[in-house]
């Protein structure tokens, strides 16, 4: 009995804080005991190593608690998105060893989101604003000072409905109008100061073409998409923590079932030393031909690491080592490099190679003699067997292992000094 309790305590200690939340929700019977997560990338670039951390969490939580994880593309900004990125994201997730239950798109919910926006207008909780973005930002005030109400805030409902309809029909130019939620311009939470819900974008969407001229903002689309899909745990990085009250606010206005609501939980994002973790900056490198595409081995993209020789197991082991917390920090890239060496050490067969050869002739060795030496393919795994290496009068050594005029304390091959030859494998 004592051993069992000890094991249970050790199991609890090994849980990260997100798993502890999930287990508590299950114990309380929330959401009918369901666990459903989602990985929601925007298809505006290739995934980088930071996304791998989110992927491992979203899919890992679903796997551990017999739930499901869906892949949902946050395709609400057609000017920045492309089918190429949609395909690449799917390839990277599969390569990491995960499989989604369903594929969804935020665009699947465009009609539902639009209808919800219309509902809020009818209820006097949203209005069309004709001010430029700079003026709207100025009127929001500061964390210490309340904002100023828009002159369009108290427009009649019917006028707002008519303008919003005409915005979507393409009658107005980009930037000329937005749809804003009417919440509280004096709220201490800046995100509650009448946030923008919709903006006009006249650019063909990769799925819906030109059907829509208004597109929802992230804060309006994200939580509602979670709700429409039945997500129980919406896992986000820490920069979205300040957005959570707004996430909950919109869901409270939308939800019809008191027995279900998604829960947003934030965790620390991955920051690596000497590593660019911005899709915008990585896209710039690609567009300016400073690298040879998204899968250039110098890129911190998942496909870049794949070309560099990293394995899915190494990346997942690295993610497991760093864990998940509520505090941002910087991880030394050496830990990632250690993870791949550790993984390859047990799985990679060794080979003999001279990369920069210099010919060596052993003058006192018979010209016609050849000795076959056995080299183990992997000292960590005898099942990989061995291979033979020929030793004869003529050999090749690395150029850096020979120096004709060597300084003192040079212990490699040089005239007039003894040297020991080692058959190295790598």
């Amino acid at each position: 009995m004592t051993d069992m309790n000890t094991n249970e305590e050790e199991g609890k200690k090994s849980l990260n804080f997100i798993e502890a939340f999930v287990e508590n929700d299950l114990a309380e019977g929330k959401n009918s005991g369901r666990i459903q997560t989602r990985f929601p990338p925007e298809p505006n670039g290739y995934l980088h190593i930071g996304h791998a951390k989110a992927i491992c969490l979203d899919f890992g939580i679903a796997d551990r608690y017999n739930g499901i994880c869906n892949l949902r593309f946050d395709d609400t900004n057609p000017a920045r998105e492309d089918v190429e990125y949609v395909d690449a994201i799917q390839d990277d997730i599969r390569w990491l060893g995960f499989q989604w239950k369903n594929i969804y798109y935020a665009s699947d919910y465009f009609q539902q989101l639009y209808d919800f926006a219309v509902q809020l207008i009818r209820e006097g909780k949203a209005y069309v604003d004709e001010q430029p973005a700079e003026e709207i930002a100025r009127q929001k005030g500061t964390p210490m000072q309340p904002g100023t109400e828009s002159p369009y805030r108290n427009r009649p409902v019917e006028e707002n409905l008519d303008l919003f309809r005409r915005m979507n029909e393409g009658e107005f130019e980009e930037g000329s109008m937005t749809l804003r939620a009417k919440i509280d311009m004096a709220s201490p939470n800046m995100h509650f100061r009448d946030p923008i819900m919709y903006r006009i974008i006249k650019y063909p969407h990769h799925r819906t073409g030109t059907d829509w001229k208004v597109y929802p903002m992230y804060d309006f689309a994200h939580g509602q998409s979670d709700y429409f899909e039945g997500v129980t745990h919406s896992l986000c990085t820490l920069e979205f923590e300040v957005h959570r009250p707004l996430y909950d606010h919109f869901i409270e206005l939308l939800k019809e079932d008191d027995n279900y609501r998604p829960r947003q939980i934030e965790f620390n994002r991955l920051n690596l030393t000497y590593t660019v973790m911005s899709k915008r900056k990585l896209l710039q490198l690609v567009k300016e031909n400073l690298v040879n595409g998204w899968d250039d081995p110098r890129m911190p993209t998942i496909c870049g690491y794949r070309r560099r020789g990293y394995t899915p197991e190494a990346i997942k082991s690295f993610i497991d080592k760093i864990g998940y917390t509520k505090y941002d920090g910087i991880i030394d890239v050496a830990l990632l490099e250690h993870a791949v060496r550790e993984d390859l050490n047990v799985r990679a067969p060794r080979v003999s190679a001279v990369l920069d050869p210099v010919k060596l002739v052993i003058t006192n060795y018979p010209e016609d003699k050849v000795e076959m030496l056995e080299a183990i393919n992997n000292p960590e795994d005898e099942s990989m067997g061995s291979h033979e290496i020929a030793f004869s009068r003529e050999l090749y050594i690395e150029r850096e292992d020979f120096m004709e005029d060597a300084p003192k304390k040079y212990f490699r091959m040089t005239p007039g000094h003894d040297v020991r030859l080692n058959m190295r494998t790598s």
Side-chain angles (χ1 to χ4, degrees), residues 119 227 251-260:
Q119 173 192 325
Y227 184 83
I251 287 178
E252 193 64 32
L253 297 176
L254 175 67
K255 73 182 182 68
E256 299 175 353
D257 182 2
D258 288 335
N259 296 320
Y260 162 68

Side-chain angles (χ1 to χ4, degrees), residues 26-39:
L26 287 172
E28 294 180 359
K30 292 183 178 179
N31 301 317
S32 303
R34 291 188 309 108
I35 297 298
Q36 182 171 324
T37 60
R38 82 291 169 269
F39 176 60

Side-chain angles (χ1 to χ4, degrees), residues 73 75 83 86 104-109 204-209 211:
F73 291 101
D75 56 344
V83 175
V86 171
Y104 295 118
Y105 295 80
S107 54
D108 292 335
Y109 311 118
H205 190 279
H206 68 98
R207 295 187 73 231
T208 61
D211 291 349

Side-chain angles (χ1 to χ4, degrees), residues 5-17:
N5 289 338
T6 301
N7 290 338
E8 288 179 358
E9 289 176 4
E10 289 177 353
K12 290 179 181 178
K13 289 178 182 177
S14 68
L15 297 178
N16 63 48
F17 78 98

Side-chain angles (χ1 to χ4, degrees), residues 337-372:
E337 294 167 346
H338 168 74
V340 72
R341 285 195 300 269
E342 188 177 55
D343 180 63
L344 293 177
N345 184 50
V346 298
R347 71 170 62 244
R350 275 56 167 175
V351 296
S352 302
V354 179
L355 303 180
D356 188 11
V358 173
K359 188 174 183 178
L360 170 67
V361 179
I362 305 175
T363 56
N364 61 347
Y365 193 88
E367 293 186 16
D368 57 351
K369 184 177 180 180
V370 177
E371 296 180 69
M372 303 305 296

Side-chain angles (χ1 to χ4, degrees), residues 180-343:
R180 298 176 66 182
K182 186 189 292 187
I183 306 180
D184 183 2
M185 290 301 292
S187 172
N189 186 330
M190 297 288 288
H191 294 281
F192 273 70
R193 297 184 183 180
D194 291 10
I196 295 174
M197 296 162 54
Y198 272 88
R199 75 285 204 204
I200 301 170
I201 299 178
K202 293 184 175 181
Y203 193 95
H205 190 279
H206 68 98
R207 295 187 73 231
T208 61
T210 56
D211 291 349
W212 297 91
K213 305 297 188 300
V214 292
Y215 288 88
M217 301 294 288
Y218 176 89
D219 278 337
F220 185 70
H222 187 69
Q224 284 70 271
S225 297
D226 285 346
Y227 184 83
F228 295 145
E229 285 175 22
V231 170
T232 59
H233 296 83
S234 180
L235 309 177
C236 308
T237 45
L238 281 175
E239 63 263 35
F240 294 103
E241 186 172 24
V242 293
H243 296 250
R244 192 200 319 151
L246 186 58
Y247 176 100
D248 292 336
H249 172 80
F250 281 131
I251 287 178
E252 193 64 32
L253 297 176
L254 175 67
K255 73 182 182 68
E256 299 175 353
D257 182 2
D258 288 335
N259 296 320
Y260 162 68
R261 68 176 302 146
R263 176 181 187 175
Q264 179 175 305
I265 305 173
E266 306 83 20
F267 61 93
N268 61 327
R269 64 183 299 167
L270 173 59
N271 296 302
L272 276 179
T273 54
Y274 314 112
T275 306
V276 176
M277 305 286 265
S278 162
K279 275 198 288 186
R280 178 181 59 81
K281 293 179 180 178
L282 295 177
L283 177 61
Q284 183 179 353
L285 292 176
V286 174
K287 286 190 171 182
E288 294 181 5
N289 295 317
L290 298 173
V291 294
N292 297 320
W294 287 95
D295 65 345
D296 189 302
R298 295 167 293 179
M299 291 280 275
T301 53
I302 293 177
C303 56
Y305 281 108
R306 181 165 66 240
R307 277 195 65 192
R308 202 187 304 181
Y310 278 69
T311 62
E313 293 78 11
I315 292 176
K316 289 186 283 190
S317 173
F318 165 69
I319 298 299
D320 187 57
K321 283 180 170 63
I322 62 176
Y324 299 88
T325 72
K326 292 286 284 187
Y327 305 97
D328 271 329
I330 300 179
I331 304 297
D332 195 323
V333 71
L335 184 58
L336 176 59
E337 294 167 346
H338 168 74
V340 72
R341 285 195 300 269
E342 188 177 55
D343 180 63

Side-chain angles (χ1 to χ4, degrees), residues 14 70 120 143 163 174 176 178 189 205 259 311 336 352 368 377 380 382:
S14 68
N70 294 321
L120 294 181
L163 287 172
E174 292 186 13
S176 62
T178 58
N189 186 330
H205 190 279
N259 296 320
T311 62
L336 176 59
S352 302
D368 57 351
N377 288 335
E380 303 294 327
E382 293 184 0

